[in-house]
Amino acid sequence: MTDWLWEYEGYDPAAERLREALCTLGNGYFATRGAAPECTAGEAHYPGTYAAGCYNRLTSTVAGREVENEDMVNLPNWLPLRFRTIGEGGPDPWFTPDGEGLREHRQQLDLFGGTLERTVRYEDSGGRTLTVRQLRMVHMADPHLAGLRTEFTAEGWSGPIEVEAALDGGVTNSGVARYRRLDGGHLVHVGAGDAADIDGGDGADDVVWLRCRTRTSDIRVGMAARTTVDGAAGHERARGDHEPTRAVQRLRLSLADGRPRTVDKTVALHTSRDTAISDPLHAAADRVRRAPGFDVLLAAHRTAWRQLWRRAALDVPGEAGRILRLHLFHVLQTLSPHTADLDVGVPARGLHGEAYRGHIFWDELFVLPYLNLRFPEVSRALLTYRYRRLEQARRLARDSGHRGAMYPWQSGSDGREETQQLHLNPRSGRWLPDHSRLQHHVGSAIAYNVWQYCEASGDAEFLHTKGAEMLTRIARFWADFADWDPELGRYRIRGVVGPDEYHEAYPDAVRPGLDDNAYTNVTAAWVIARALDLVRDLPEPRRVDLFERTGLEAAELEHWREVSTRLYVPFHHGVISQFHGYGELAELDWEGLRARHGDIRRLDRVLEAEGDTVNRYQASKQADVLMLGYLFSPAELRGLFQRLGYELDDETWHRTVDYYLRRTSHGSTLSGLVHGWVLSRVRREDAWEFCREALEGDIADLQGGTTEEGVHLGAMAGTLDLVQRGLTGMETRSGSLWFDPVPSPELTEYGFTMRYHGHWGVRVAVRPGELRIGLPPSADGLPIGVRLGGRSVVLEPGTSCVLPLPEA
């Protein structure tokens, strides 16, 4: 394998769904899993195509209750292309990898070119061998196009084969086993036909179409396919033979021994969410008809990918570099420059599968820091998705009896709370109440993202308008949500769930929720403080507009100041408490559980299946308190605690890290990432173990069968940011780049290119003992400040500098 190729040799039914997720191709508008075109959905395969922001809501009956869920919709499958040989007695069965005729199976994912190549060899019932080579793309230059080239070669024989190409609208959402009791039939009014049916008949009989709608959101979907054969004789042209839910084209090819024949299938996809179209079906048919041939499309597609890699250049040697490129590939397929034109958020599992129903959580907290310095226009669009749903967040706050904006833990199409009411524990088979909607800290993540984006991009217009309104309304929520405790002499935030997620209530409590989650309280204080800074520093006309729009008054700002300096942070045994009362919980018998169950990453499910609950124990799913060390530099974190009236010295923080490290099951792919980040500054010798786990989380499916349901986009982007900001200690602050690198024995040399305050191609390289930064020439670019330790330099466009690193 090269650094840009991922190869899978052989066919393993048990691993196919994982490979399909990792071989997904996309362009930010839509993505398609890497399933074999001749396969249908089943235990081994799950072809899925998902368009960003395309959701539908259905009601199901679960455990005697009606529950409503909104899902990212599995759209019609454009891949189907099956084939079979024809002998003297008629056609053989259709070839499939699961049949008896498979002799060779190989896949190659080309990250640099954005293509998936597949080679299979089949043997029919008469002993004749057919070699099939396929090349697939989801077009990065034209986001509505995709293509599949299939080359057939007869080995040692000559004769006919039958080929069937189709668009399949009979698909459902059934890719996640634990959701299968829920209604997954999102598509209705499926119809198929030839292009002549809708364009008046212009002779385009190699183009077919399929249309449908989503059941409740009423999104119209139009798909069209053009199937052509190289050197086709008249009788070899594709002919329509449609079924109620499938647009089908059949053709018969004559093969000569050793001479390849090629079938090209070009597909266009439009939905009624698209701009500048009148009808998705006509738009799709017209686009595919006008599309150039496969070779021209492929060249344009590869050019678009080459341009992306230039903007996102990453130079990390060895296996870590290979994995990081794969991670970046999947991030860019989900959130590409095309995303800037869409009203979409960051789906936690990418456009790669149906886990989490395609919902948006807090994962942009781990994704945007990387995009901010490569594709700021994409970050702006993702934050605008949040701004467009600000009014819904305000309604959620009002409905809960509070002011300001309370963003939902899970979001989808319109910003209402999409968190499920019940979730299934696969170990016990029981449906359980889900209280994760109490993770109100998602609002702080959104505010943090606004601030970080504006610091990195210099986008004052966004900060002074949409950003200012989001920040102030989130700050208003926290200031109103906090209540005064006269006994403590502090403000408290009660009835929430922290990032740990395992703890949803106190032992034997009737009501869900916990008091004074440290992460929630500290980040709430940070949000309020930043909102106060922003209000103070706004230009006068902007400040007047903001005050009029939000009804802000001086007395309210004074209350904010008081809350932001008097929020309660619990401690016990010399460490920060995850929440008030955490230190009083029982200790868990970790070794006993591992002896009984082996992998206990999903500790909540293990204990519930035993009739117990994690609420009774000092045990966490993932970083909770330690998330503070991920978001804030050591100096900033000390300052936050000092503002709140607490002393957080290095000894206390290191003791806190050690304490929770021993009590975390790492039941999330984000856990290794955050622990690796934090430990790189606390226990450097242990950091790489967690960094490696973050790198391998998806390729090795460390969470046990979850990656096949969709990649973990936050963890993938977070590993990129680990190199960008974690190891370099880079902060974009006060108009300058601040660096505080931490040595890593496993990664002594690395570099990357970024965009900062309008400067394209800023190059950062770390070598043993030095940090080099270069600013490309710019006709109208301003200099940037660079700070490392006690040294500060001003870098002019077209110059570079080398800064010595302090000894470890």
Side-chain angles (χ1 to χ4, degrees), residues 84-92 124 128 157 159-162 252:
R84 59 186 174 183
T85 56
I86 303 175
E88 293 181 1
D92 261 32
D124 69 9
R128 299 182 301 177
W157 61 279
I161 64 168
E162 183 180 357
R252 185 168 171 147

Side-chain angles (χ1 to χ4, degrees), residues 97-392:
D98 301 293
E100 297 179 355
L102 182 66
R103 297 295 176 264
E104 180 183 336
H105 190 276
R106 185 171 67 252
Q107 290 172 288
Q108 186 179 84
L109 180 66
D110 179 358
L111 307 182
F112 192 77
T115 59
L116 177 63
E117 186 174 349
R118 181 169 172 264
T119 301
V120 292
R121 294 175 72 241
Y122 286 112
E123 185 177 302
D124 69 9
S125 60
R128 299 182 301 177
T129 298
L130 178 67
T131 297
V132 182
R133 292 185 176 87
Q134 294 181 314
L135 187 68
R136 180 189 312 181
M137 62 179 165
V138 174
H139 213 271
M140 187 55 81
D142 186 330
H144 298 281
L145 289 178
L148 174 68
R149 167 165 283 179
T150 306
E151 180 186 277
F152 299 99
T153 305
E155 295 185 15
W157 61 279
S158 298
I161 64 168
E162 183 180 357
V163 179
E164 178 192 274
L167 304 174
D168 184 6
V171 300
T172 63
N173 277 53
S174 56
V176 180
R178 61 189 176 278
Y179 299 166
R180 288 178 190 161
R181 299 186 201 177
L182 306 175
D183 191 346
H186 294 283
L187 301 180
V188 295
H189 302 152
V190 181
D194 297 315
D197 299 337
I198 59 172
D199 63 15
D202 66 350
D205 54 1
D206 55 358
V207 174
V208 297
W209 56 262
L210 185 138
R211 65 182 170 197
C212 58
R213 293 172 182 257
T214 55
R215 271 168 66 182
T216 59
S217 56
D218 200 31
I219 298 171
R220 290 172 290 135
V221 179
M223 188 177 280
R226 182 185 69 201
T227 304
T228 58
V229 182
D230 66 319
H235 68 278
E236 291 182 321
R237 295 197 63 170
R239 57 182 176 82
D241 186 14
H242 308 302
E243 301 169 7
T245 61
R246 298 172 76 233
V248 181
Q249 292 174 295
R250 302 186 193 278
L251 53 95
R252 185 168 171 147
L253 290 184
S254 296
L255 300 186
D257 182 14
R259 296 182 60 182
R261 296 295 304 275
T262 301
V263 176
D264 288 336
K265 181 179 181 182
T266 306
V267 176
L269 169 66
H270 276 278
T271 80
S272 54
R273 299 183 77 247
D274 297 343
T275 59
I277 65 168
S278 62
D279 172 74
L281 179 58
H282 285 82
D286 185 63
R287 186 175 294 272
V288 82
R289 186 185 297 113
R290 296 175 185 275
F294 191 92
D295 289 327
V296 175
L297 284 174
L298 182 61
H301 171 71
R302 285 174 168 163
T303 296
W305 266 108
R306 188 165 59 248
Q307 293 168 347
L308 284 181
W309 288 118
R310 260 203 310 270
R311 288 182 66 176
L314 182 71
D315 181 17
V316 177
E319 183 66 7
R322 262 189 92 241
I323 298 172
L324 286 168
R325 275 183 280 277
L326 178 70
H327 288 183
L328 179 53
F329 179 73
H330 286 300
V331 170
L332 293 177
Q333 292 192 119
T334 307
L335 305 167
S336 79
H338 299 301
T339 306
D341 298 324
L342 305 176
D343 177 33
V344 297
V346 178
R349 305 301 284 273
L351 300 174
H352 298 62
E354 295 162 13
Y356 300 163
R357 301 182 177 87
H359 291 170
I360 291 90
F361 294 70
W362 70 329
D363 296 77
E364 63 229 60
L365 187 65
F366 304 91
V367 175
L368 261 63
Y370 188 82
L371 295 178
N372 291 342
L373 294 165
R374 304 297 183 296
F375 303 95
E377 71 279 17
V378 177
S379 292
R380 193 184 215 265
L382 297 170
L383 291 170
T384 302
Y385 165 88
R386 293 295 194 179
Y387 179 77
R388 292 189 182 107
R389 287 148 184 84
L390 179 60
E391 185 57 40
Q392 182 65 259

Side-chain angles (χ1 to χ4, degrees), residues 580-596:
H580 180 72
Y582 184 89
E584 299 170 16
L585 300 179
E587 289 286 6
L588 185 69
D589 179 11
W590 292 88
E591 293 309 313
L593 275 176
R594 288 192 179 98
R596 293 197 301 275

Side-chain angles (χ1 to χ4, degrees), residues 420-604:
Q420 64 270 22
Q421 300 168 32
L422 300 171
H423 68 268
L424 175 68
N425 181 356
R427 281 181 173 264
S428 67
R430 287 188 284 266
W431 288 87
L432 307 166
D434 191 315
H435 302 301
S436 58
R437 66 184 61 231
L438 297 178
Q439 292 190 71
H440 303 318
H441 62 81
V442 65
S444 297
I446 294 167
Y448 182 89
N449 290 330
V450 168
W451 192 264
Q452 291 295 323
Y453 160 72
C454 295
E455 288 277 18
S457 66
D459 189 348
E461 174 66 22
F462 187 87
L463 179 63
H464 293 167
T465 53
K466 295 180 175 70
E469 186 172 0
M470 282 193 282
L471 267 170
T472 53
R473 293 197 187 279
I474 295 168
R476 173 178 278 165
F477 169 75
W478 284 128
D480 187 69
F481 195 79
D483 65 270
W484 176 254
D485 185 331
E487 291 186 13
L488 282 176
R490 291 271 181 181
Y491 285 92
R492 306 185 66 180
I493 294 178
R494 307 175 195 259
V496 300
V497 171
D500 161 39
E501 295 188 319
Y502 279 175
H503 292 89
E504 296 184 329
Y506 287 102
D508 304 318
V510 176
R511 297 172 61 88
L514 304 159
D515 298 339
D516 302 304
N517 172 258
Y519 173 82
T520 299
N521 287 18
V522 173
T523 54
W526 180 89
V527 170
I528 298 171
R530 293 291 75 74
L532 288 168
D533 292 343
L534 178 58
V535 169
R536 179 196 64 211
D537 296 337
L538 276 176
E540 182 62 24
R542 296 293 198 191
R543 186 185 302 110
V544 171
D545 289 347
L546 179 66
F547 273 53
E548 290 177 346
R549 193 163 57 250
T550 61
L552 273 175
E553 296 179 350
E556 183 178 4
L557 295 180
E558 188 57 41
H559 176 62
W560 288 12
R561 288 188 187 91
E562 183 179 0
V563 174
S564 70
T565 57
R566 303 292 297 278
L567 271 169
Y568 173 53
V569 179
F571 287 76
H572 72 277
H573 305 322
V575 302
I576 304 168
S577 298
Q578 185 169 303
F579 51 81
H580 180 72
Y582 184 89
E584 299 170 16
L585 300 179
E587 289 286 6
L588 185 69
D589 179 11
W590 292 88
E591 293 309 313
L593 275 176
R594 288 192 179 98
R596 293 197 301 275
H597 299 284
D599 187 352
I600 58 169
R601 292 173 187 267
R602 286 310 306 263
L603 187 61
D604 57 336

Side-chain angles (χ1 to χ4, degrees), residues 731-785:
E731 296 179 81
T732 54
R733 179 157 50 94
S734 304
S736 295
L737 291 172
W738 302 62
F739 292 92
D740 181 19
V742 290
S744 171
E746 293 81 6
L747 200 60
T748 58
E749 297 188 9
Y750 55 91
F752 51 84
T753 301
M754 64 181 185
R755 179 180 174 187
Y756 175 70
H757 280 214
H759 290 283
W760 292 67
V762 178
R763 179 70 183 169
V764 176
V766 175
R767 301 290 182 266
E770 68 177 39
L771 182 144
R772 180 184 298 269
I773 181 167
L775 195 60
S778 174
D780 55 356
L782 298 174
I784 62 173

Side-chain angles (χ1 to χ4, degrees), residues 47-116:
T49 290
Y50 310 96
C54 188
Y55 292 95
N56 187 65
R57 189 181 307 278
L58 295 176
T59 300
S60 308
T61 301
V62 175
R65 294 173 55 181
E66 285 197 347
V67 295
E68 187 180 82
N69 288 292
E70 185 176 66
D71 291 78
M72 183 172 67
V73 178
N74 183 18
L75 295 179
N77 181 15
W78 64 270
L79 283 176
L81 191 144
R82 58 181 180 172
F83 39 88
R84 59 186 174 183
T85 56
I86 303 175
E88 293 181 1
D92 261 32
W94 298 105
F95 288 120
T96 71
D98 301 293
E100 297 179 355
L102 182 66
R103 297 295 176 264
E104 180 183 336
H105 190 276
R106 185 171 67 252
Q107 290 172 288
Q108 186 179 84
L109 180 66
D110 179 358
L111 307 182
F112 192 77
T115 59
L116 177 63

